Amino acid sequence: EAQVTQNPRYLITVTGKKLTVTCSQNMNHEYMSWYRQDPGLGLRQIYYSMNVEVTDKGDVPEGYKVSRKEKRNFPLILESPSPNQTSLYFCASSLAGSSYEQYFGPGTRLTVT
Amino acid sequence: AQKITQTQPGMFVQEKEAVTLDCTYDTSDPSYGLFWYKQPSSGEMIFLIYQGSYDQQNATEGRYSLNFQKARKSANLVISASQLGDSAMYFCAMREKGYNTDKLIFGTGTRLQVFP
C-alpha cells in the first residue's frame, strides 16, 4: 500500500529535550515536506526537500532541522523544543512539479511543556 | 509573495444542497497548481481536486468541481449534493515550482458543516 508514515503519532515532551519525528514514504517520490498546523493558521511549510541531500526552508523553519540522506526518509529534528512548537505536524511526499498533489502522513501531535 | 486567502471561516449547508467554498490566490508566476484538500475530524489530509494554471477547463472530480477564474485569481470549490460526510475542514493550496524552489502554500481553511 502506497503511504507516508510518521512516528510517533503523539508525543509529550519538555522544553529543551531534543526530539526527532520520523517520516518515511514508499512511493519513490523525489519531493518531501514538513508542515505544522495550528488553529486559525492552516498548514505552514517548515522545510522541504526536492531530492536526496537537497533541502530548503519553508515559511516557518526557525527551531527545526531536517536531513535527507535517503530518498524514502525525511526526519524532522527539534534540537531544543519550546512550548511554541506545540502543534500538529504533517509530513508529505509527492513527485516534483506544481501539478502533483502531495500525499500526507497521518500527523504527529506534539506537546512541549 | 505567494498567498492564499480563504475568507469563510465556517459554512453551513443542508444535505443534498450545493455549496461553494471560496479561495483567492496571489502569485506573479505564470505556472502554478491549485489544490483542495479535505480534513475530517479524524485529522488526515485528503486530496480532492487539482487545477493547473494553464488548464482551459474547470477541473471536476465526482461531486467536486473547481470554479477557476484566472483573471480574478480565484479557485472556488463547489460541492454538489452535499452529504453528512462532507462535514470537515477544507483547505485551498497553491504549489509553485521554480528552478530551485518548490513550495506549497495553504489557506487558513473553511470549516463546512452539513446538516440534515
Side-chain angles (χ1 to χ4, degrees):
Chain A
E1 179 191 355
Q3 60 183 350
V4 178
T5 57
Q6 295 178 228
N7 282 291
R9 294 289 312 280
Y10 303 90
L11 180 59
I12 301 173
T13 190
V14 296
T15 299
K17 186 176 181 183
K18 181 179 178 180
L19 67 91
T20 299
V21 184
T22 64
C23 174
S24 183
Q25 52 95 4
N26 62 1
M27 294 169 278
N28 202 36
H29 286 159
E30 301 95 344
Y31 185 95
M32 297 185 75
S33 183
W34 277 101
Y35 302 87
R36 61 176 289 172
Q37 182 179 9
D38 302 290
L41 298 178
L43 282 80
R44 294 178 292 168
Q45 195 169 38
I46 302 171
Y47 270 96
Y48 64 94
S49 170
M50 295 171 70
N51 216 325
V52 176
E53 302 291 359
V54 179
T55 63
D56 207 348
K57 297 177 181 178
D59 290 326
V60 289
E62 295 78 19
Y64 304 95
K65 285 177 58 177
V66 293
S67 68
R68 187 95 181 271
K69 294 183 170 54
E70 307 166 282
K71 197 171 187 178
R72 63 182 292 126
N73 296 324
F74 191 45
L76 179 70
I77 303 158
L78 285 72
E79 295 265 0
S80 183
S82 62
N84 64 12
Q85 292 179 298
T86 292
S87 188
L88 177 60
Y89 291 87
F90 286 100
C91 179
S93 74
S94 75
L95 295 172
S98 62
S99 61
Y100 296 104
E101 77 270 23
Q102 297 195 6
Y103 294 79
F104 284 80
T108 294
R109 186 163 294 281
L110 172 65
T111 302
V112 183
T113 62
Chain B
Q2 296 174 305
K3 188 175 180 181
I4 293 281
T5 303
Q6 294 181 254
T7 57
Q8 306 155 315
M11 290 282 285
F12 286 90
V13 65
Q14 190 167 30
E15 202 176 7
K16 299 180 185 176
E17 296 294 311
V19 63
T20 298
L21 306 184
D22 294 341
C23 173
T24 58
Y25 60 93
D26 188 20
T27 180
S28 56
D29 195 321
S31 178
Y32 50 88
L34 296 161
F35 302 83
W36 278 90
Y37 286 86
K38 173 184 178 181
Q39 187 181 41
S41 57
S42 50
E44 71 267 31
M45 295 291 290
I46 301 167
F47 165 71
L48 294 178
I49 195 166
Y50 158 79
Q51 179 85 42
S53 59
Y54 295 117
D55 293 344
Q56 296 295 313
Q57 293 192 327
N58 288 340
T60 61
E61 289 286 349
R63 294 186 299 110
Y64 304 108
S65 61
L66 201 152
N67 184 1
F68 181 46
Q69 298 188 40
K70 193 170 182 177
R72 297 180 57 188
K73 293 188 175 179
S74 75
N76 299 338
L77 177 70
V78 180
I79 305 175
S80 63
S82 297
Q83 302 172 356
L84 296 177
D86 293 333
S87 294
M89 280 289 285
Y90 289 81
F91 292 99
C92 180
M94 177 172 65
R95 185 171 183 178
E96 289 185 343
K97 171 79 171 67
Y99 181 73
N100 283 322
T101 63
D102 189 347
K103 288 189 170 185
L104 184 66
I105 304 295
F106 283 85
T108 53
T110 296
R111 182 172 297 281
L112 176 67
Q113 295 191 52
V114 182
F115 60 93

